[in-house]
Amino acid sequence: MAAEPFVLPDFYLPHPASRNPNEEHARQHSNEWAEAMGMLDAAGPSGKRVWTLEDLAAHDYALMCAYTHPDCDARTLDLVTDWYVWVFFFDDHFLELFKYDRDLSGAQAHLDRLDLFMTEPHETPPTPANPAEAGLADLWARTVPLMSDGWRDRFRASTHNLAVESMWELDNINRHRIANPMEYVEMRRRVGGAPWSANLVELAVGAEVPAGLAEARPMLVLRDTFADAVHLRNDLFSYQREVQQEGENSNAVLVLETFLGVPTQQAADLVNDLITSRLQQFENTVFTEVPVMFAEHAVPPHEQIAVAKYVKGLQDWQSGGHEWHARSSRYMNAGGATRAATWSPSGEARRANQYTHVGYDRGDAGLALPEFYMPFPFRTPSPYLGQARAHNLEWSERMGLLGLEPGTPTGRLWDAGLLADLDLSYCASMIHADAGPDELDLTTGWLTWGTYGDDLYPARYGHDLLGAKAQNARLRLFLPLDAATMPEPSNALERGLADLWRRTAGPMNPADRKWFRATVETMVDSWAWELANQIQHRVPDPVDYVEMRRATFGSDLTMSLARISHGNLVPPEVYQTRTMRQLDNAAQDYACLTNDVFSYQKEIQFEGEIHNMVFVMESFLGCDRLRARDIVAELMAERMRQFEHIVAEELPAMFEQFGLNEKVQDTLTGYARELQDWMSGILEWHRKCPRYQEAALVERYGGGPVGSAGAFGSVAEEVPAPALVGVGPDPDTRPLRLPVRPSGMGTAAARIEELFAAVRA
């Protein structure tokens, strides 16, 4: 065999692996089952068999499942092992049938048939035509009666994803295209199967994720961090086989080699660093977010126990999966077994680095702007711009956004001058360029409300996370699905939301209203997520940051207004396709990273922020801000090139696949143009907005009222200049993002003058 392309790194393995005593029974059973399903007789177009009995024995999936599911009984281990035999056979069979001769239409037909074997209880599947179908039909019939309807739906979705998204890999191979890092991590979850494995963990531990918690952020993060670490670990071990022997290009090591232009060994080490970061995000979620989720949802003890079993099951899988990779003949693993018990010092160093940022770099944190790849011109501002500016000033005053704001350091957050400098009407007029006057007022109002809320949370709540959570709960009361019933607002934030919700949701149909409500809730919840990181002095994990940045930016909210205007022309399932999801995500990421580059000095030097992708890259890669800036700029360019590729190649293919009529095609093509306006308008707004210019920052933060562009990366507060002087680890001298003052229940008397001022007004 050829020399291994890199030395395996030291892995961060926080949980010891153990081994199921029923392993040998599962091995014998799975060998017999694979033969009965015809997997040992299947051949590709060349006549070569996909697997022999010797291949199956060498892969040793029974060993894998004994490690990844150490506590289940023999019958369950047999069932789980059969599932893994099936999924690995499916992958190798698909490779043999379609990846070498690039038969895209045959591949799609092969995948479409698999869905027919994941039946409802009253349905009968068709007769299997190949071993992959036979195996799925058998396993489905043996598994779904053991679990709930909700689990069955989730498992069907994850099984569908890992099968159908194989087309993404095949398409990239066909185009000789290597994904960008952000696209790769997101798509690897779907095609790699670890979310599917997480469903099988529920089966193995005998405890389902409670239905009411399945979509809560902590549970989704646990699933995704588990999936990312599993997949990235697999990429390290399988690089030699996939990239060098099989010509695959869906591998994280290759992705980073290509994107960063670094040697293979360095790329492998960076992949390992990302594995460590994802595992530590998993731990942080378990210990900081899951208990809060239990309290918020009043989760009963038996459901808390189910979640705990699920968490342990994911930990067992992570550790056991490593042990198997280190031993299986399927992978490159020279010396891997000896590394299996290593506690990586670099992992602990990375954890320490993540929590030791002191904030407020008062040195020169200026950041020259890079060249931005923007192929689309921004739209000429709307003829209704002047009218929208006047309306937004009047609306902001009427809602109380420019008035006193109890609970903030100075009792006031915004004034008319700050609102004029933000000029969110100008931004709205470019990102919603074809809007009429009422629509433009509405878009401007949502931008203004979101910016105000993003500014308000750190200013009012500081380290009071429970207070922020309580406000979030109140805000949900102003998003009624009947669009009418709501309590009396108690502050400007609630008043603004109540007004916008009535005007926006009132005309919507119930399905659109429910969808739009979810986008508002996502943004509101992200404000508390930022506070939690600030309280922990925790620099976000880079993957978690990217995914939450879409929420803090309000991307879904503003983009959903365009979707809803399409009415019911586009079938809902079309928006759930990979093509449309990737189109949205590429556009959102470009816009979010635009802000992070422009706002770096404001956030890092003047506000003590940590939620900035340039800074996150500095922390994760250990590089200087100029190198981090260039990496972020290249990520933006890659996302834009991906956007262009989707519009030029994947949208037309999707139209044909779904047989969409001309009117629907025109609607979706128009939506892509709206996203072009959205990205180019946001970039142009940042170029013109004074909030990111150094001279304005120095003047604004010199002791008078200061502010910034919230939903586009801002915090507004009034901070005396001396409070920002000096940086160091001493708690008595280290500057805080907000002036130190009591907060939380029972501390209102400490703000008595502020409260009297509000009463006198």
Side-chain angles (χ1 to χ4, degrees):
M1 180 178 288
E4 295 191 348
F6 54 83
V7 177
L8 286 171
D10 290 332
F11 293 91
Y12 174 71
L13 296 164
H15 307 290
S18 55
R19 198 161 165 176
N20 196 305
N22 300 300
E23 174 187 339
E24 186 54 42
H25 188 276
R27 181 174 292 110
Q28 181 177 346
H29 169 85
S30 64
N31 288 348
E32 294 172 354
W33 181 82
E35 186 171 13
M37 294 298 108
M39 294 177 182
L40 304 185
D41 298 320
S46 67
K48 176 187 174 183
R49 278 195 289 173
V50 177
W51 279 359
T52 65
L53 182 60
E54 291 73 22
D55 292 330
L56 182 58
H59 296 166
D60 205 350
Y61 300 115
L63 176 66
M64 172 191 173
C65 293
Y67 269 127
T68 55
H69 303 286
D71 299 326
C72 63
D73 60 28
R75 181 185 177 191
T76 304
L77 186 63
D78 288 349
L79 178 57
V80 170
T81 304
D82 288 349
W83 270 112
Y84 280 97
V85 169
W86 176 82
V87 79
F88 279 99
F89 174 82
F90 161 77
D91 190 56
D92 289 352
H93 187 228
F94 188 80
L95 174 75
E96 190 66 33
L97 290 178
F98 305 112
K99 286 189 179 180
Y100 295 127
D101 62 8
R102 314 293 197 260
D103 180 9
L104 297 181
S105 60
Q108 188 63 59
H110 178 81
L111 296 174
D112 289 343
R113 274 203 35 105
L114 288 179
D115 281 346
L116 304 178
F117 296 89
M118 294 184 286
T119 56
E120 293 293 322
H122 61 278
E123 295 176 339
T124 302
T127 301
N130 58 59
E133 294 178 359
L136 181 56
D138 178 80
L139 289 167
W140 193 259
R142 290 161 57 195
T143 303
V144 295
L146 306 175
M147 308 298 285
S148 70
D149 292 348
W151 182 91
R152 182 182 68 242
D153 292 341
R154 288 187 282 118
F155 189 57
R156 177 188 290 111
S158 59
T159 306
H160 169 85
N161 288 341
L162 74 86
V164 76
E165 299 302 1
S166 298
M167 289 297 293
W168 171 77
E169 290 185 310
L170 188 56
D171 185 61
N172 280 342
I173 292 172
N174 199 40
R175 299 178 188 278
H176 304 287
R177 176 180 180 271
I178 297 174
N180 64 73
M182 298 167 82
E183 173 192 9
Y184 180 77
V185 169
E186 180 178 0
M187 286 306 301
R188 186 69 166 90
R189 285 179 195 160
R190 296 177 68 87
V191 75
W196 176 87
S197 295
N199 292 148
L200 287 179
V201 165
E202 297 176 70
L203 170 67
V205 301
E208 292 189 23
V209 172
L213 302 179
E215 296 302 313
R217 170 186 147 82
M219 302 310 298
L220 296 178
V221 172
L222 291 178
R223 181 200 67 192
D224 290 346
T225 51
F226 163 78
D228 293 345
V230 167
H231 293 148
L232 294 170
R233 186 187 314 279
N234 176 265
D235 285 354
L236 284 172
F237 280 97
S238 63
Y239 176 91
Q240 185 177 40
R241 178 176 62 84
E242 291 182 344
V243 177
Q244 295 187 331
Q245 296 173 9
E246 297 177 353
E248 285 263 20
N249 58 13
S250 182
N251 185 288
V253 179
L254 180 63
V255 167
L256 292 187
E257 275 185 278
T258 305
F259 177 76
L260 295 174
V262 298
T264 306
Q265 182 68 58
Q266 186 177 351
D269 291 339
L270 286 173
V271 170
N272 186 50
D273 287 342
L274 191 54
I275 294 172
T276 300
S277 183
R278 298 309 278 154
L279 288 174
Q280 291 175 347
Q281 172 73 53
F282 181 97
E283 294 167 347
N284 180 270
T285 304
V286 169
F287 293 115
T288 68
E289 295 191 51
V290 169
V292 175
M293 177 187 70
F294 287 162
E296 284 185 308
H297 293 267
V299 178
H302 72 279
E303 291 191 353
Q304 295 188 32
I305 291 171
V307 171
K309 288 182 177 180
Y310 174 68
V311 168
K312 181 182 182 298
L314 296 179
Q315 292 171 339
D316 288 339
W317 207 112
Q318 198 73 244
S319 301
H322 180 92
E323 294 286 345
W324 176 70
H325 276 83
R327 288 163 170 77
S328 174
S329 67
R330 188 178 176 91
Y331 302 110
M332 176 193 98
N333 51 23
T338 62
R339 288 180 171 83
T342 300
W343 181 276
S344 169
S346 64
E348 292 311 303
R350 179 162 295 280
R351 189 202 305 276
N353 178 65
Q354 193 175 26
Y355 286 88
T356 54
H357 177 61
V358 296
Y360 285 111
D361 178 5
R362 288 304 292 170
D364 177 16
L367 192 68
L369 294 176
E371 289 293 324
F372 293 103
Y373 177 57
M374 170 50 73
F376 311 119
F378 65 89
R379 295 284 297 275
T380 302
S382 166
Y384 308 113
L385 175 57
Q387 178 181 333
R389 283 168 171 156
H391 178 271
N392 196 44
L393 174 61
E394 183 276 330
W395 180 83
S396 298
E397 290 177 333
R398 179 158 45 89
M399 294 300 106
L401 305 185
L402 308 184
L404 294 173
E405 190 59 75
T408 58
T410 65
R412 187 180 295 274
L413 193 70
W414 279 10
D415 60 24
L418 184 146
L419 184 68
D421 281 349
L422 289 178
D423 203 358
L424 293 168
S425 301
Y426 178 59
C427 183
S429 73
M430 290 184 291
I431 69 174
H432 202 173
D434 297 320
D438 292 341
E439 293 174 308
L440 185 60
D441 287 344
L442 199 57
T443 299
T444 302
W446 278 110
L447 292 179
T448 301
W449 182 83
T451 300
Y452 185 84
D454 194 55
D455 284 359
L456 177 65
Y457 269 54
R460 173 184 284 171
Y461 298 109
H463 285 62
D464 181 12
L465 183 59
L466 293 181
K469 292 276 190 178
Q471 178 64 84
N472 282 3
R474 280 277 301 173
L475 290 177
R476 281 170 163 77
L477 301 178
F478 297 91
L479 302 169
L481 292 179
D482 63 7
T485 307
M486 58 181 71
E488 186 69 23
S490 63
N491 55 46
L493 191 68
E494 295 176 0
R495 193 174 302 113
L497 180 58
D499 180 77
L500 289 169
W501 183 254
R502 289 192 185 99
R503 292 159 55 199
T504 308
M508 290 179 182
N509 64 52
D512 287 343
R513 190 177 299 147
K514 183 178 180 180
W515 179 32
F516 187 66
R517 171 184 169 134
T519 69
V520 180
E521 291 177 326
T522 296
M523 182 174 70
V524 167
D525 289 342
S526 75
W527 297 339
W529 172 81
E530 288 188 318
L531 284 182
N533 283 329
Q534 291 286 160
I535 290 168
Q536 296 176 64
H537 299 286
R538 178 178 179 271
V539 180
D541 165 86
V543 177
D544 196 39
Y545 176 77
V546 167
E547 294 174 340
M548 288 302 294
R549 186 68 176 97
R550 298 168 190 159
T552 62
F553 195 72
S555 306
D556 282 339
L557 190 156
T558 55
M559 289 168 63
S560 66
L561 292 172
R563 276 195 186 184
I564 290 168
S565 69
H566 302 160
N568 296 316
L569 283 174
V570 181
E573 61 270 19
V574 171
Y575 282 124
Q576 299 307 313
T577 61
R578 169 175 54 85
T579 298
M580 295 306 298
R581 288 196 319 273
Q582 289 287 301
L583 188 75
D584 282 349
N585 289 348
Q588 290 184 24
D589 291 343
Y590 186 94
C592 294
L593 297 181
T594 295
N595 172 257
D596 285 359
V597 174
F598 275 90
S599 65
Y600 177 87
Q601 183 175 22
K602 175 176 66 67
E603 293 179 340
I604 304 306
Q605 180 175 336
F606 291 94
E607 296 176 356
E609 259 284 5
I610 55 178
H611 296 97
N612 184 291
M613 188 60 169
V614 179
F615 182 72
V616 169
M617 285 291 98
E618 282 182 80
S619 174
F620 179 74
L621 296 174
C623 63
D624 63 34
R625 65 178 181 267
L626 295 180
R627 173 63 174 150
R629 174 205 64 187
D630 292 344
I631 290 172
V632 172
E634 183 56 27
L635 280 172
M636 292 173 61
E638 283 294 315
R639 276 312 224 182
M640 182 60 76
R641 285 189 278 266
Q642 182 187 353
F643 181 92
E644 293 178 291
H645 165 78
I646 292 171
V647 172
E649 304 288 346
E650 295 188 29
L651 268 184
M654 185 188 73
F655 295 161
E656 183 177 351
Q657 178 186 350
F658 282 85
L660 301 178
N661 63 45
E662 186 175 346
K663 195 166 187 179
V664 174
Q665 291 185 33
D666 289 344
T667 298
L668 292 175
T669 302
Y671 177 64
R673 286 195 296 269
E674 291 170 342
L675 293 182
Q676 295 172 8
D677 293 342
W678 192 76
M679 291 184 287
S680 60
I682 285 171
L683 177 60
E684 177 62 15
W685 178 81
H686 277 86
R687 291 187 191 279
K688 296 291 176 63
C689 186
R691 292 301 172 187
Y692 308 107
Q693 299 167 11
E694 185 172 29
L697 289 169
V698 171
E699 178 182 355
R700 197 169 294 122
Y701 282 79
V706 298
S708 54
F712 299 109
S714 63
V715 176
E717 26 181 284
E718 187 170 309
V719 183
L724 297 176
V725 176
V727 175
D730 184 345
D732 295 327
T733 62
R734 185 175 68 231
L736 297 174
R737 189 160 183 265
L738 297 173
V740 179
R741 61 176 175 79
S743 63
M745 186 175 294
T747 62
R751 305 193 302 276
I752 194 70
E753 285 300 322
E754 169 189 307
L755 297 173
F756 277 144
V759 172
R760 287 194 294 269

